[in-house]
């Protein structure tokens, strides 16, 4: 407290009073100020969850006057990239929803706030000053879910909702085969399968050939693990071998179909009178899908926990809530997380979204307990295991899926496949443990940068010497300020922007391609290592890359010419029109001006298997409906059709300006000579349009070789990579796996491919230009 | 191509007939978008679908306006698209003028070098540019969204190609009259390049208005989102999509670009007519 030595009591009293009043005023003001500024938190949630969360946030605000919760919705597809860039940019929200497998990545980047201080008080049993029913401890949650927030004993999040995989089966078909209940053990699965299977028309169970999420539960059931307690890979152990051997055996015995069933629509096929398979494994979302899309099947199907072997196990997924380190209000953020995790709010959340509660005690609510289908999931959640919580998991998953497919297809023996998975995982884990002196890194990267710059310097210098003899100006120079200064002034803005935002980033990107720049490097530069050409070798050896190259070439070789031909026809038609020309021009150009996001939404609807316009149209001609975007044979053509529709107007405009530049006198002369339409087209239009045609061919090819937005918005590269383009591959490397080094390497390989093609076109173009 | 001679009416019938079928295919999705946006939710998911709404409703549009940031998102898009267009036109037309009409050391080398960079996919530079913008404190700002794309090799290329067709004699005459160089650029080259500039305006405005990935990454707050990002956020959930609302949002997103195109189109055609006289 303020204390001033003074002689006069009265003055002192006065001073004290004033001070006290001032202090009170200050406190009041500051309190109000605090209420205005510091009682606000931001939470990012994905897709539908974000929308539904708004109502919960309002309820929380009502219970806590003065608190503001800002809910920001991020589309699922972009959420991962958005969260990472937000972290790199230092703009993280207070709380975010993270997919369970993402939590490890953000933890690896050192982005998350440890939550132990909020939890520990309950753990050691000491009573709190103000105990509240919202207190949280690890015992409140499913064990498997808690593992996704626990990293080396430190807690970095709270499980928000969970999902796991169960066995879906047709009760009527099992009964017909004399089986009363769903298989509970591996032996029963095998015997049931044998009774049901009559290959090649009927099988027992549908199992994916290439999906690590399908194999993991089997490994868990056999008592195995991907990584042991010390983080060492254990995929070559006996339980994993037992699991993969059993998995492959199901295919060998004809219980599970190989190949042929890959492209089916799961729900539709399962709902057939005599489906080719009576069982499959999937998550809780199938409950709604089956109820909505196959209402006729009601009462003929059931859900059971996965068959056991030595233990019960399944895959555990879902979403966690985390607090970012940058949060200015972690206490308030925590209380909101507590609020979301309370039993009653978990139940309310289930009712509003269908997301399964992460707390076992929420499951006693009638809404969940009375649902017989959910009972299987309730049982399964007790034993479900999440995949290893490592930032490298996405890459590991990719390796497991690939090798598992090779084992199922008998390209590799069980032992071989597992040994290779183990080997690959060991390499992935080792990569980050070996340090590299920073002087070495800077020397290598610095030298490379210098060589590139020196290369540019020499290139332009030599060109300068070659040009030396030529006269410097086309037109006579004015006395005072000649083009010399003006050249610089006019070029300066464009060239400096290009230098800063294009040339330098390209060089930076090339340097990045020589390193293993990844998530850890984003967190700290020290983690980055120079790897030389290893990224390039890896990409060139990756069959997925070549698949993407193939798709991209198909896209430009088929899509490019179609676009140009349609555009040329449209341009010629519009050019000839005397009436309603503007209407047609506008109509053809309409798709070009439209936002791709809007276009994608409409076209998804057009291609929709049940409510789609295309299927409606085909049904008028009694063609059976298709699931256009889910079938690997139709997905790429469907995207090409959309791209032609979207882009031909752009090409048309350029061609139109070229057509209008052709002097009318030529046509008039041709008319006098009695030339036909076709002759005029061949003899006048095409030759005079050549430069423009060359321009649009180059632009269209380059544009289509960079084809990205269409598959990104519509299919994400699927099904089975049938629409994976090179740029999408690159984007996934960079912004899904965060292997920025490999992504940069891919971009340079792509650059060389495009460069080679463009060189051919430019040379051809030069010839025609010279001809004119 | 109609195969009959253009003079006889049957050729015209073929021309308009073919073009009309093409037109129907092109605009059907838009018609569907618009009609669905004024249908009540109950009429939207039907098989076979009804094209015309039985009950017209503006509810989806009202819902959109009352969405927290939608009007703000609209304003953001307008600001970004207009400033990006102006910046692009100014910066690139100056550079294009130099490349078209001045001869200076390394001109062709430099120009070919610029063209070569067009082959590099935008994703290559995304991360370095993002880190750069962060260091410049330009994240979450309009400048950060506009500046990296303000100079465009494509724009320079397009304008240069057009400016090369403008006769040198005009510039020479102006110089003899004592015109300063900037005046030549501003009063002669720009007006004469109007068709190309109109084309570029449409393309740039469109590109800036529709920009998605970059806008999503740069703009970190929902109140700073542009329309396409806001629309994608609306359509985020695979399950239970509000088609009516999405369609209304799509309609609102495309109308401004359409308006610009419509107004520029008139100008554009006039410009082409003017150059036709000149030739």
């Amino acid at each position: 407290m303020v204390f001033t030595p003074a002689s006069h009591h009265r003055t002192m009293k006065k001073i004290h009073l004033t001070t006290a009043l001032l202090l009170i005023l200050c406190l009041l003001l500051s309190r109000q100020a605090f209420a205005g500024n510091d009682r606000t938190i931001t939470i990012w949630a994905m897709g539908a969850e974000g929308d539904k969360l708004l109502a919960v946030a309002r309820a929380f605000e009502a219970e806590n006057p003065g608190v503001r919760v800002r809910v920001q919705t991020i589309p699922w597809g972009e959420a991962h990239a958005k969260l990472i860039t937000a972290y790199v940019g230092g703009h993280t929200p207070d709380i975010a929803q993270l997919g369970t497998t993402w939590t490890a990545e953000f933890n690896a980047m050192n982005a998350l706030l440890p939550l132990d201080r909020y939890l520990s008080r309950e753990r050691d049993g000491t009573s709190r000053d103000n105990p509240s029913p919202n207190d949280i401890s690890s015992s409140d949650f499913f064990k498997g879910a808690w593992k996704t927030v626990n990293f080396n004993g430190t807690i970095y999040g709270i499980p928000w909702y969970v999902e796991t995989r169960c066995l879906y089966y047709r009760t009527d078909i099992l009964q017909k085969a004399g089986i009363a209940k769903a298989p509970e053990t591996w032996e029963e699965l095998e015997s049931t399968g044998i009774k049901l299977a009559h290959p090649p028309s009927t099988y027992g169970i549908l199992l994916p050939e290439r999906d690590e999420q399908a194999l993991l539960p089997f490994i868990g059931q056999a008592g195995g693990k991907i990584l042991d307690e010390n983080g060492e890979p254990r995929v070559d152990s006996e339980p994993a071998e037992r699991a993969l051997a059993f998995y492959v055996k199901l295919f060998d015995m004809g219980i599970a179909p190989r190949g042929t069933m890959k492209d089916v629509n799961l729900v539709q096929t399962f709902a057939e009178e005599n489906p080719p398979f009576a069982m499959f494994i999937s998550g809780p979302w199938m409950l709604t899908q089956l109820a909505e899309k196959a209402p006729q099947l009601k009462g003929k199907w059931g859900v059971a926990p996965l068959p056991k072997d030595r233990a019960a196990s399944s895959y555990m997924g879902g979403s966690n809530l985390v607090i970012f380190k940058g949060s200015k209000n972690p206490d308030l953020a925590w209380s909101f997380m507590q609020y979301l995790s309370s039993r009653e709010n978990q139940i309310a959340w289930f009712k509003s979204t269908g997301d399964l509660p992460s707390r076992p005690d929420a499951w006693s609510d009638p809404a969940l307990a009375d649902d017989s289908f959910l009972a299987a999931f309730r049982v399964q959640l007790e034993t479900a295991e999440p995949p290893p919580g490592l930032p490298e998991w996405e890459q590991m998953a990719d390796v497991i899926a690939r090798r598992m497919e090779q084992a199922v297809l008998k390209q590799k023996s069980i032992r071989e496949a597992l040994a290779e998975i183990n080997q690959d995982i060991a390499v992935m884990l080792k990569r980050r443990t070996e340090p590299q002196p920073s002087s070495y890194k800077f020397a290598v990267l610095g030298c490379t940068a210098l060589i590139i710059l020196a290369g540019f310097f020499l290139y332009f210098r030599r060109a300068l010497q070659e040009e030396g003899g030529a006269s410097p100006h086309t037109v006579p120079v004015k006395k005072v300020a000649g083009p010399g200064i003006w050249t610089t002034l006019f070029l300066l803005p464009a060239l400096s922007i290009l230098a800063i935002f294009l040339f330098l980033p390209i060089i930076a990107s090339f340097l990045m391609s020589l390193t293993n720049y990844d998530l850890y490097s984003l967190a700290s530069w020290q983690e980055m290592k120079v790897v030389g050409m290893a990224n390039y070798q890896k990409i060139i050896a990756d069959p997925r890359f070549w698949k993407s190259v193939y798709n991209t070439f198909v896209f430009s070789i088929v899509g490019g010419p179609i676009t140009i031909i349609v555009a040329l026809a449209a341009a010629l038609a519009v050019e000839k029109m005397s009436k309603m020309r503007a209407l047609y021009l506008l109509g053809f150009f309409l798709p070009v001006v439209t936002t791709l996001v809007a276009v994608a939404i409409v076209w998804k609807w057009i291609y929709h298997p049940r409510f789609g316009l295309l299927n409606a149209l085909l049904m008028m001609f009694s063609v059976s409906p298709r699931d256009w975007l889910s079938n690997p044979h139709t997905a790429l053509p469907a995207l090409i059709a959309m791209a032609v529709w979207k882009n031909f107007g752009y090409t048309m405009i350029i061609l139109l300006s070229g057509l209008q530049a052709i002097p009318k006198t030529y046509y008039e002369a041709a008319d006098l000579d009695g030339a036909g339409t076709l002759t005029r087209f061949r003899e006048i239009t095409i030759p005079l349009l050549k430069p423009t045609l060359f321009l649009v061919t180059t632009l269209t090819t380059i544009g289509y070789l960079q084809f990205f937005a269409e598959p990104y918005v519509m299919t994400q590269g699927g099904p089975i990579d049938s629409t994976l383009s090179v740029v999408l591959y690159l984007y996934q490397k960079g912004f899904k796996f965060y292997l920025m080094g490999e992504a940069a390497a891919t971009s340079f390989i792509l650059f060389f491919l495009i460069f080679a093609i463009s060189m051919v076109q430019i040379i051809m173009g030069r010839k025609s230009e010279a001809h004119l | 191509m109609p195969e009959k001679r253009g003079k006889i009416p049957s050729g015209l019938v073929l021309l308009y007939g073919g073009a009309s079928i093409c037109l129907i295919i092109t605009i059907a999705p838009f018609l569907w978008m618009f009609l669905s946006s004024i249908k009540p939710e109950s009429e939207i998911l039907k098989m076979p679908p009804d094209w015309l709404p039985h009950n017209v409703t503006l509810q989806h549009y009202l819902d959109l306006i009352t969405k927290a940031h939608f009007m703000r998102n609209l304003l953001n898009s307008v600001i970004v698209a207009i400033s990006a267009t102006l910046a692009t036109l100014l910066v690139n037309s100056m550079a294009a003028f130099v490349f078209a009409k001045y001869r200076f050391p390394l001109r062709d080398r430099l120009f070919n070098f610029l063209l070569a960079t067009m082959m590099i996919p935008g994703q290559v530079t995304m991360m370095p540019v993002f880190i750069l913008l962060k260091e410049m404190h330009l994240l979450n700002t309009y400048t950060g969204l506009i500046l990296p794309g303000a100079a465009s090799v494509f724009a320079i290329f397009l304008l240069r190609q057009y400016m090369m067709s403008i006769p040198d004699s005009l510039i020479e005459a102006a110089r003899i009259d004592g015109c300063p160089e900037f005046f030549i650029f501003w009063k002669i080259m720009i007006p004469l390049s109007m068709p190309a500039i109109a084309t570029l305006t449409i393309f740039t405005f469109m590109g800036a208005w529709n920009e998605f990935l970059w806008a999503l990454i740069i703009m970190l707050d929902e109140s700073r989102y542009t329309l396409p990002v806001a629309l994608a956020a609306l359509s985020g959930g695979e399950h239970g999509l509000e088609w009516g609302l999405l369609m209304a949002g799509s309609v609102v997103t495309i109308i401004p670009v359409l308006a610009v195109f419509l107004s520029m189109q008139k100008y554009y055609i006039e410009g082409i007519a003017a150059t036709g006289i000149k030739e």
Side-chain angles (χ1 to χ4, degrees):
Chain A
M1 271 289 122
V2 184
F3 194 83
T4 20
S7 45
H8 283 274
H9 275 260
R10 264 180 229 160
T11 32
M12 244 184 91
K13 241 188 179 173
K14 255 190 181 172
I15 288 169
H16 270 228
L17 241 163
T18 333
T19 320
L21 274 171
L22 271 172
L23 267 171
I24 290 168
L25 200 70
C26 276
L27 263 170
L28 277 173
L29 278 175
S30 66
R31 257 205 150 169
Q32 264 185 338
F34 265 96
N37 297 325
D38 281 349
R39 303 279 289 160
T40 300
I41 49 165
T42 308
I43 175 165
W44 286 7
M46 276 69 121
E49 265 106 25
D51 292 338
K52 300 264 168 70
L53 191 59
L54 208 61
V56 187
R58 294 290 160 272
F60 181 72
E61 286 173 349
E63 280 182 30
N64 299 273
V67 169
R68 249 207 94 205
V69 179
R70 294 178 57 213
V71 178
Q72 187 157 329
T73 308
I74 327 174
W76 260 113
E78 289 78 29
H80 194 248
K82 174 101 183 149
L83 279 161
I84 300 235
T85 44
Y87 171 67
V88 175
H91 265 79
T92 44
D94 297 279
I95 310 176
Q97 168 189 3
L98 287 186
T100 47
T101 49
W102 300 356
T103 316
E105 286 176 33
F106 284 87
N107 183 45
M109 286 189 292
N110 205 12
L112 307 180
L113 188 78
L115 301 178
D116 295 73
R117 59 173 155 142
Y118 297 110
L119 294 160
S120 56
R121 279 175 278 194
E122 290 120 291
R123 262 203 200 155
D124 49 31
T126 50
S127 63
R128 296 187 49 181
D129 306 336
N130 50 346
S132 93
N134 282 345
D135 281 349
I136 290 178
S137 74
S138 61
S139 55
D140 291 335
F141 298 91
F142 285 110
K143 254 189 298 169
W146 194 254
K147 281 184 189 165
T148 64
V149 295
N150 182 342
F151 297 96
N152 298 322
T154 310
I155 305 305
Y156 287 97
I158 295 295
W160 189 14
Y161 64 85
V162 291
E163 59 99 345
T164 186
R165 309 295 147 84
C166 280
L167 183 74
Y168 287 78
Y169 62 101
R170 285 278 295 264
T171 44
D172 56 337
I173 293 182
L174 262 67
Q175 264 161 15
K176 243 185 267 170
I179 305 154
K181 59 181 179 53
E184 284 168 6
T185 63
W186 282 14
E187 290 79 40
E188 285 179 29
L189 177 62
E190 200 182 315
S191 61
T192 308
I194 289 171
K195 279 186 206 162
L196 293 170
H198 302 286
S201 62
T202 338
Y203 297 85
I205 181 168
L206 182 72
L207 290 173
E209 292 166 348
R210 179 182 179 151
D211 182 1
E212 81 290 342
Q213 294 186 4
L215 184 63
L216 286 182
F218 284 88
I219 296 178
Q221 288 151 13
K225 272 185 172 165
I226 304 291
L227 302 177
D228 66 12
E229 289 70 27
N230 304 320
E232 297 292 326
R234 282 287 170 265
V235 188
D236 54 353
S237 61
E238 187 272 334
E241 200 179 321
R242 182 178 162 89
L244 186 58
F246 179 68
Y247 197 86
V248 175
K249 189 175 153 198
L250 292 175
F251 287 90
D252 288 346
M253 295 178 68
I255 295 171
R258 272 200 184 92
T260 47
M261 287 291 144
K262 235 188 255 173
D263 313 337
V264 298
N265 178 317
L266 192 60
V267 174
Q268 267 176 28
T269 319
F270 187 64
E272 281 169 19
E273 184 64 34
N274 290 303
F277 53 88
M279 300 184 281
F280 67 89
I281 294 172
S282 190
W285 54 86
M286 250 326 143
L287 294 174
T288 28
Q289 290 229 13
L290 278 171
E292 277 172 16
K293 293 187 178 172
Q296 75 277 15
L297 207 61
K298 208 177 169 207
K300 292 183 187 168
W301 58 279
V303 191
L306 295 184
K308 286 176 225 172
D309 183 34
R310 294 164 179 161
S313 185
S314 186
Y315 183 86
M316 167 73 83
S319 276
N320 296 327
L321 292 170
V322 298
I323 301 181
F324 277 96
K325 271 208 174 130
S327 170
K328 292 200 181 77
N329 234 331
D331 293 347
L332 185 60
W334 172 254
S335 50
F336 185 54
M337 264 162 65
Q338 265 186 327
Y339 180 80
L340 290 174
S341 307
S342 73
R343 181 175 175 268
E344 63 266 37
N345 278 326
Q346 285 259 305
I347 295 165
W349 187 247
F350 165 75
K351 286 177 183 161
S352 108
T353 61
D355 290 339
L356 303 183
S358 54
R359 297 174 68 114
D361 60 2
W363 286 72
S364 58
D365 185 83
L368 290 125
D370 293 353
D371 188 322
S372 61
F373 291 137
L374 282 179
F377 285 96
R378 171 69 183 83
V379 172
Q380 193 73 73
L381 281 168
E382 288 293 343
T383 53
E385 280 280 321
L390 288 174
E392 289 90 352
W393 171 245
E394 296 275 353
Q395 295 170 60
M396 292 184 191
D398 197 47
V399 168
I400 297 173
R402 264 207 321 268
R403 300 284 181 240
M404 143 190 188
E405 185 182 34
Q406 286 173 329
V408 171
L409 299 179
K410 296 282 171 194
Q411 290 167 351
K412 285 219 164 84
S413 74
I414 309 286
R415 268 166 196 275
E416 255 180 317
L418 292 174
E420 279 172 23
I421 295 174
N422 217 53
Q423 170 79 24
D424 285 353
I425 292 181
V427 170
M428 279 172 209
L429 295 176
K430 198 174 151 202
R431 222 171 60 162
R432 65 178 156 136
T433 52
E434 283 172 356
Q436 198 174 40
S438 42
S439 54
Y440 171 76
K441 288 184 246 184
F442 284 111
V444 172
L445 295 182
C447 284
T448 316
L450 277 178
I451 292 169
I452 296 172
L453 290 176
F456 279 122
F457 180 73
L458 287 175
Y459 169 83
F460 281 115
R461 209 181 117 97
R462 237 187 82 205
L464 195 62
Q465 283 163 350
E466 279 167 13
E467 277 180 11
S471 91
H473 306 291
T474 7
V475 283
V477 190
K478 242 198 87 197
K479 284 163 282 174
V480 198
I485 297 155
W486 286 104
T487 308
T488 320
L489 281 180
F490 280 139
L491 276 181
L492 198 64
L495 285 190
S496 42
I497 293 174
L498 287 173
I500 296 169
F501 293 109
L502 187 67
F503 307 154
L504 285 181
I506 290 172
I507 295 175
S509 189
F510 180 70
L511 295 180
M512 219 183 231
S513 79
L514 303 175
T515 70
N516 69 344
Y517 203 94
D518 59 7
L519 277 174
Y520 297 107
S521 322
L522 276 178
S524 110
W525 278 91
Q526 298 300 317
E527 297 285 341
M528 184 197 73
K529 272 167 238 160
V530 175
V531 297
M533 302 304 281
N535 290 331
Y536 290 90
Q537 287 167 354
K538 200 177 158 192
I539 301 296
I540 288 173
D542 184 0
R544 262 191 103 221
F545 172 71
W546 293 108
K547 173 83 183 163
S548 75
V549 170
Y550 169 80
N551 290 337
T552 307
F553 273 96
V554 170
F555 192 83
S556 28
I557 285 167
V558 177
I562 295 180
T563 307
I564 291 171
I565 290 167
V566 174
L568 184 60
L572 287 168
V574 169
E575 221 255 331
K576 276 228 165 66
M577 282 176 180
S578 45
K579 280 175 192 160
M580 297 190 297
R581 183 191 161 118
L583 174 78
Y584 283 89
L585 197 64
L586 172 69
F588 294 152
F589 202 66
L590 207 55
V592 182
V593 299
T594 321
T595 316
L596 192 85
V597 179
V599 166
I601 292 170
V602 180
W603 278 76
K604 261 192 180 170
W605 198 357
I606 290 175
Y607 287 140
H608 196 285
R610 269 191 80 206
F611 304 110
L613 281 184
L614 185 60
N615 279 340
L617 191 72
L618 288 175
M619 267 151 76
M620 282 170 31
F621 301 100
S622 37
V623 178
S624 60
R626 280 160 201 270
D627 196 348
W628 297 95
L629 293 173
S630 307
N631 182 332
H633 301 295
T634 54
L636 192 60
L639 290 192
I640 292 177
M642 188 186 109
V644 171
W645 174 86
K646 171 103 175 76
N647 295 321
F648 85 90
Y650 182 95
T651 313
M652 177 195 73
I653 290 276
I654 301 177
L655 286 173
L656 198 60
S657 68
L659 279 178
Q660 278 163 338
I662 299 174
K664 297 281 168 288
T665 45
Y666 288 4
Y667 290 113
E668 284 156 16
D671 277 346
L672 287 177
D673 291 347
T677 314
L678 217 60
T679 321
R680 297 195 325 176
F681 177 69
R682 207 174 46 228
E683 300 296 328
I684 303 173
T685 314
I686 288 295
L688 286 172
L689 204 58
K690 251 189 187 164
T692 323
L693 272 174
F694 161 63
L695 171 69
V696 297
T697 314
T698 314
L699 288 177
T700 314
T701 315
I702 292 178
Y704 279 3
L705 284 174
Q706 296 181 15
F707 139 71
F708 166 70
E710 290 86 355
Y712 175 77
V713 182
M714 304 276 289
T715 57
Q716 288 284 316
I720 351 174
D721 295 341
S722 62
T723 57
L724 181 76
S725 73
V726 180
V727 180
L728 186 60
Y729 174 86
L730 183 162
Y731 179 82
Q732 287 182 350
K733 278 262 181 222
F735 293 90
K736 186 176 168 198
F737 303 136
Y738 271 83
L739 299 168
M740 304 299 299
E742 286 181 29
T746 314
S747 67
F748 282 95
I749 298 175
L750 173 66
F751 170 68
F752 285 120
L753 288 176
I754 296 180
F755 183 75
I757 294 166
S758 305
M759 276 328 274
V760 173
Q761 285 184 333
I762 285 171
I763 289 163
M764 281 162 62
R766 278 234 181 97
K767 269 184 192 160
S768 64
E769 247 176 24
H771 179 72
L772 279 172
Chain B
M1 263 313 284
E3 273 162 29
K4 307 226 165 160
R5 293 191 178 199
K7 284 176 195 167
I8 45 173
S10 68
L12 273 184
V13 171
L14 217 69
L15 175 75
Y16 279 91
S20 299
I21 291 171
C22 199
L23 189 67
I24 289 168
I25 295 172
T26 336
I27 61 172
F30 296 103
L31 212 59
W32 180 246
M33 182 194 283
F34 173 71
L35 291 173
S36 301
S37 76
I38 53 170
K39 279 181 201 165
E41 206 68 45
S42 59
E43 288 180 32
I44 281 180
L45 285 184
K46 264 191 169 178
M47 198 71 181
D50 291 328
W51 278 85
L52 291 175
H54 297 291
N55 303 297
V56 173
T57 171
L58 289 177
Q59 192 55 44
H60 301 307
Y61 290 91
L62 294 176
D63 288 348
L64 214 54
I65 292 168
T66 50
K67 275 261 166 192
H69 299 293
F70 198 82
M71 296 313 277
R72 179 61 207 253
N73 298 145
L74 183 64
L75 183 70
N76 289 342
S77 271
V78 171
I79 294 172
V80 167
I82 289 178
S83 15
T85 309
L86 292 178
T88 307
L89 286 179
L90 183 67
V91 167
N92 297 308
S93 60
M94 292 197 302
F97 172 51
V98 172
F99 278 117
K101 289 298 168 199
Y102 288 173
R103 182 168 290 176
F104 58 93
L106 299 179
R107 183 185 72 175
D108 296 336
R109 279 288 165 115
L110 192 59
F111 191 69
N112 286 340
F113 174 73
L114 290 186
L115 282 186
T117 62
M118 266 173 81
M119 288 178 272
I120 296 179
Q123 285 76 12
V124 175
T125 55
M126 231 161 95
M127 213 58 196
V129 171
F130 181 84
I131 294 168
L132 200 65
L133 287 177
K134 181 202 163 195
E135 296 305 322
M136 295 165 88
H137 297 283
L138 288 177
L139 289 184
N140 215 14
T141 64
Y142 295 130
T143 320
L145 191 54
I146 295 162
L147 192 61
S152 137
V153 177
F154 170 68
I156 295 174
F157 179 74
L158 193 83
L159 289 174
R160 169 188 173 262
Q161 294 297 93
Y162 194 87
M163 284 177 172
M164 278 169 75
S165 71
I166 296 170
D168 288 344
S169 54
L170 281 176
I171 299 173
E172 280 170 58
R175 282 204 180 126
I176 288 162
D177 289 347
C179 267
E181 291 297 312
F182 189 79
F183 190 82
I184 293 177
F185 165 72
W186 193 249
K187 294 279 169 169
I188 298 174
M189 292 308 279
I190 292 289
L192 286 178
S193 312
M194 264 313 160
I197 285 178
T199 311
L200 189 64
T201 305
I202 297 172
F203 290 160
T204 316
F205 186 86
M206 207 174 76
W209 184 270
N210 296 338
E211 173 56 51
F212 176 61
L213 204 55
W214 195 237
L216 180 89
I217 285 171
I218 290 296
M219 294 309 200
L220 301 160
D221 292 328
E222 216 167 8
S223 60
R224 294 279 176 124
Y225 279 1
T226 53
L227 270 188
V229 183
L231 192 62
L234 272 185
S235 72
E238 275 292 309
H239 316 289
L241 283 186
E242 294 175 79
W243 287 106
L245 191 70
L246 284 175
M247 291 300 124
S250 302
V251 170
V252 175
T253 309
I254 66 167
I255 279 178
V257 217
L258 270 189
V260 168
F261 175 64
L262 273 177
S263 55
M264 294 303 286
Q265 186 210 20
K266 199 178 153 212
Y267 194 42
Y268 181 81
I269 287 167
E270 271 173 13
I272 292 170
T275 45
I277 293 161
K278 186 204 76 195
E279 286 281 337

